[in-house]
Amino acid sequence: MLEEICKALAEETNIRENLIELKKSIKNQDALKEWKEYHATHPVLYAFLSSEDAKIRKNAALILGETNEPGAAKALFEAYQRENTRFVKSSYLTAMNGLDIENYQDALGKRYKELLTEVPAENEKKHRTEELHALDKLLGGLNQNKKHRFTGYEEEVEVLLTTNPAYREITAEQIKKDRPVLVPAGVKVKTTHLRDVIKIRTFREMLLLLSGGHRIAAEPEAVAEAYAKSNLMELLNRLHEGNPPFRFRMEVRGIAPEEKGSFIRKAAATLEDLTGHQLLNTVDGYEIELRLTKNTDGTLYPSCKLFTIPMRRFSYRKEAVAASIHPANAALFMKLAEPYLKKGAQVLDPCCGVGTMLIERDLLVPAGDMYGLDIFGEAVIKARENAKAAGRQINYINRDFFDFTHKYLFDEIISNMPLRGKKTREEQDAFYSQFFDCAGKFLKNGGHMILYSNEGGFVKKQLRRHMEYRLLDEFCIREKEGFYLFIVGKKG
């Protein structure tokens, strides 16, 4: 098939149709390799960049970009400059991605600035946007348009810290210099002390709150207009070093999945136009997320998440597995258990996963010797990497808790208990029985167990069986799924 296409293109037979077939064929890597070898000695595509047929020029450009030939960048750039058909221009730019275009970046940058100030005819808006996006991606790859640097740590902003709804006050109590307000999603605060706020470990996300209404009609045009009329651009410019455009993605939570794609495309495109392309929608390299959350009355609540703020709270978490606990949850659990944590304690996690619980425990109240066990070898390797990144000395061992031996007892046993998974109820009951039996061999009298589990019935059954333990406290974390944090003491 490829041989026939090559022959037809060399003879300039049915060029448009054969270019289309060639584009399909070279999606296969073996066919692409074969095509590159052929084109290196039969460079037929270059002539097609001057064809009178716009679609031939477009397809020839896109295929030429796949060849990575030394002369391809020059040919594509020159074709781009002389191209007058708007729908074709972005194809040259797409083709140049991955090619060496350093010699042309000044001219491309100039064109980029021209497009930002251009006011196109209505029928040209779509193609102008396509060209602008293609240029933005191309120049971004050259690091000409780096992400903006966040500088607004002492500027006044209003933010929402999303938290576990039942324990919003845990986060609020850590805000010392401002007056936090509890709201259903977490904690709202107006602050000029952002450096202090972003160090708090018990919130999940920080969202920038905007001026204007917080109940937007669930329509793309209404969403775009609300963001455009809000103080979003003023905030972005005030909080960052560098000029627009800012690259964004849009996320809508609470509308039907089959409607979401179309909704976002319309809203994002309209917002670009309304802001004069000071905001550019992109699938990668975005600096902000425009977040829309559905209210109970069907309207949408707007906010903004900034990826330009370096959030280093959990930078140690280099590795994770599917069952890994979110670091903010682990930090919350340790904060709830803080009255029972002892400085310099000997600590054991029998089901450590990638080590998040032990790391957060040590960060809150420095411990002594710490051990983490797990039967999943990959998790143990990842736990060691995370501990190293966190600067923590923790001994992670690929071992079953029930086969573990140790010379001395521990002050604390901390664990995110394994989910039942494919185990039967009887098997999970037996696991908890064995766990509590084994824990008694390792926990000092007067020591504590801090267990996160959705098997409250089995936990309390074992407390009835083991008279040496007593339930000191319990915290409902996720009521619907039955997840609780249990603080268990061993009698002295």
Side-chain angles (χ1 to χ4, degrees), residues 80-277:
Y80 169 70
Q81 282 196 309
R82 65 175 179 261
E83 184 61 62
N84 293 317
T85 304
R86 294 298 293 261
F87 83 85
V88 181
K89 289 186 78 71
S90 61
S91 300
Y92 299 110
L93 300 169
T94 300
M96 282 188 272
N97 270 308
L99 302 180
D100 182 5
I101 58 168
E102 187 175 355
N103 292 336
Y104 317 116
Q105 61 179 323
D106 288 344
L108 292 170
K110 183 179 178 182
R111 174 61 178 166
Y112 181 81
K113 291 176 181 176
E114 289 173 356
L115 286 174
L116 286 174
T117 58
E118 180 186 12
V119 181
E122 191 64 33
N123 63 339
E124 296 286 351
K125 281 186 177 181
K126 176 185 175 183
H127 304 310
R128 178 257 198 156
T129 299
E130 289 173 350
E131 185 182 354
L132 188 61
H133 281 203
L135 271 169
D136 187 66
K137 184 175 182 180
L138 186 60
L139 293 170
L142 291 170
N143 292 321
Q144 177 163 318
N145 293 304
K146 295 179 181 177
K147 285 188 176 181
H148 295 81
R149 188 168 75 90
F150 185 85
T151 56
Y153 294 101
E154 296 175 3
E155 296 285 336
E156 184 174 80
V157 292
E158 187 173 28
V159 297
L160 170 67
L161 307 177
T162 65
T163 69
N164 181 303
Y167 301 102
R168 297 166 295 173
E169 71 281 356
I170 294 292
T171 295
E173 288 165 1
Q174 298 173 72
I175 300 173
K176 306 296 185 182
K177 298 176 182 177
D178 301 291
R179 295 182 178 179
V181 177
L182 301 185
V183 295
V187 180
K188 186 166 68 172
V189 62
K190 189 174 287 187
T191 183
T192 56
H193 307 100
L194 211 52
R195 289 187 193 277
D196 295 332
V197 172
I198 63 176
K199 292 176 184 176
I200 297 171
R201 309 185 71 80
T202 52
F203 69 86
R204 268 187 172 255
E205 291 187 292
M206 184 176 75
L207 302 176
L208 195 65
L209 299 181
L210 308 173
S211 66
H214 291 156
R215 296 185 181 278
I216 305 171
E219 299 170 358
E221 295 78 8
V223 164
E225 187 174 341
Y227 273 115
K229 287 183 175 179
S230 75
N231 62 338
L232 174 61
M233 287 309 306
E234 183 272 328
L235 282 170
L236 293 177
N237 286 316
R238 176 159 57 88
L239 300 177
H240 296 88
E241 186 178 85
N243 299 317
F246 290 86
R247 292 154 193 83
F248 77 94
R249 73 181 294 269
M250 188 173 283
E251 170 65 16
V252 186
R253 298 184 176 182
I255 67 172
E258 62 272 15
E259 298 174 7
K260 184 180 289 190
S262 174
F263 186 101
I264 289 175
R265 283 192 296 273
K266 290 178 183 176
T270 305
L271 180 57
E272 283 194 19
D273 285 341
L274 291 176
T275 61
H277 292 275

Side-chain angles (χ1 to χ4, degrees), residues 332-351:
L332 171 63
F333 301 161
M334 293 304 103
K335 198 69 179 172
L336 289 170
E338 188 174 14
Y340 305 96
L341 304 181
K342 175 179 147 185
K343 188 174 182 180
Q346 315 298 314
V347 186
L348 172 66
D349 185 343
C351 314

Side-chain angles (χ1 to χ4, degrees), residues 287-321:
E287 303 166 287
I288 62 176
E289 176 182 288
L290 300 183
R291 176 81 60 82
L292 293 148
T293 307
K294 196 170 186 180
N295 294 311
T296 54
D297 62 1
T299 59
L300 298 174
Y301 184 96
S303 60
C304 172
K305 182 175 180 178
L306 296 181
F307 293 101
T308 51
I309 302 177
M311 300 290 276
R312 300 188 177 94
R313 296 179 303 158
F314 308 123
S315 58
Y316 69 81
R317 243 285 272 272
K318 308 293 183 185
E319 303 286 350
V321 295

Side-chain angles (χ1 to χ4, degrees), residues 320-325 348-358 371-384 394-404 414-419 431 435:
V321 295
S324 296
I325 192 170
L348 172 66
D349 185 343
C351 314
C352 68
V354 298
T356 311
M357 292 278 276
L358 284 177
Y371 284 80
L373 312 176
D374 207 289
I375 59 174
F376 186 27
E378 182 185 344
V380 170
I381 292 170
K382 292 180 174 183
R384 291 169 183 161
I394 303 175
N395 304 293
Y396 289 108
I397 304 170
N398 183 195
R399 184 76 56 82
D400 191 324
F401 177 44
F402 305 139
D403 297 329
F404 180 60
I414 291 174
S415 187
N416 173 21
M417 300 293 279
L419 296 175
F431 169 81
F435 182 93

Side-chain angles (χ1 to χ4, degrees), residues 62-74:
L62 293 170
I63 298 169
L64 184 58
E66 298 285 350
T67 66
N68 295 319
E69 291 177 356
K74 183 174 185 293

